Amino acid sequence: MRSYILVVDDDEKITSMLKRGLVFEGFEVLTANNGAEGLREMMIREPDLLILDVMMPEVDGLEVVRRMREAGSNVPVLMLTAKDAIQDRVKGLDLGADDYLVKPFALEELLARVRALLRRRSESEGSNHILRFEDLEMDLHSREVKRNNMSIELTAKEFELLHLFMQNPKRVLPRDVIMEKIWGYDYSGESNVLEVYIAMLRQKTEEHGGKRIIMTIRGTGYVLRGDA
């Protein structure tokens, strides 16, 4: 079955270009010209992937992501933005977007991001939906995380990062491997992004007195283990 992709952008040249390129690659594609229309289309049929522009009139891309995640949708979101400041990108990721591309972009790069996001979703859905490590529990279907039976609220990217660790307990994950797995490419210009997310994960998983389980391996990367 072909993957169904919804493209939401108020620039008709971009939606037309993306539709042609994605259809040529074998995807089923529907386009919408604004955020409100995109939300309506998602209610009719949930896509396998959403490609979403940030800057749109009335309902912008950030608001679309916020409403989606509040409604419980876990559809992967690739955001398109003309803004290249890291704080704008982090805001989108924190609201629940999975990846982003800064305009102008190469179609080949977008297609690579699309394939990576669809592949990660497929791998997640095909695995055991309950992961456990010591007193930490992750439900991949409901996207709930608990530690010592206490709920932990995570952003979409925090959830994905913790998922990677829980799939590889006690295995040292090099920094470049984590970057490729979670973001799909190298954040060469923003070397502290991973560290920021690790710090946020630690704060949330240790909030109620839990011991540290995400350990730093100096000069290499990080590991999930219970020897803290």
Side-chain angles (χ1 to χ4, degrees), residues 86 89 175 179 185-193:
I86 188 170
R89 300 178 229 167
R175 189 180 184 282
M179 299 297 284
Y185 60 101
D186 182 19
Y187 262 108
S188 58
E190 290 82 40
S191 61
N192 69 329
V193 171

Side-chain angles (χ1 to χ4, degrees), residues 77-93:
V77 177
L78 172 59
M79 301 202 79
L80 306 178
T81 175
K83 296 181 177 180
D84 57 4
I86 188 170
Q87 57 266 29
D88 296 317
R89 300 178 229 167
V90 170
K91 183 177 181 180
L93 295 170

Side-chain angles (χ1 to χ4, degrees), residues 134-150:
E134 296 193 349
D135 57 355
L136 187 65
E137 180 179 296
M138 170 180 282
D139 188 321
L140 299 178
H141 288 177
S142 66
R143 298 183 71 82
E144 292 180 317
V145 175
K146 295 180 180 180
R147 187 166 191 190
N148 196 23
N149 291 319
M150 300 186 71

Side-chain angles (χ1 to χ4, degrees), residues 4 24 27 46 50 54 62 78 82 114 116 123 128 133 140 148 152 171 178 200 202 211 216-217:
Y4 165 48
F24 182 80
F27 297 108
E46 187 172 83
L50 177 63
V54 172
L62 296 175
L78 172 59
V114 165
E123 290 171 352
N128 184 357
F133 180 80
L140 299 178
N148 196 23
I152 301 173
R171 176 185 174 189
I178 298 174
M200 291 189 294
R202 284 173 171 165
K211 66 180 181 180
T216 301
I217 306 301

Side-chain angles (χ1 to χ4, degrees), residues 184-217:
Y185 60 101
D186 182 19
Y187 262 108
S188 58
E190 290 82 40
S191 61
N192 69 329
V193 171
L194 177 57
E195 286 71 21
V196 169
Y197 275 92
I198 291 292
M200 291 189 294
L201 264 185
R202 284 173 171 165
Q203 179 181 359
K204 292 182 178 183
T205 57
E206 300 168 16
E207 185 175 4
H208 300 291
K211 66 180 181 180
R212 177 155 298 180
I213 54 176
I214 301 175
M215 311 297 293
T216 301
I217 306 301

Side-chain angles (χ1 to χ4, degrees), residues 3 33 115 165 180 203:
S3 294
N33 294 323
R115 289 190 290 267
F165 282 119
E180 192 280 329
Q203 179 181 359

Side-chain angles (χ1 to χ4, degrees), residues 2 18-30 111:
R2 294 190 301 167
L18 290 180
K19 184 172 184 177
R20 287 197 306 271
L22 290 165
V23 168
F24 182 80
E25 291 295 316
F27 297 108
E28 180 182 353
V29 182
L30 184 68
L111 292 172

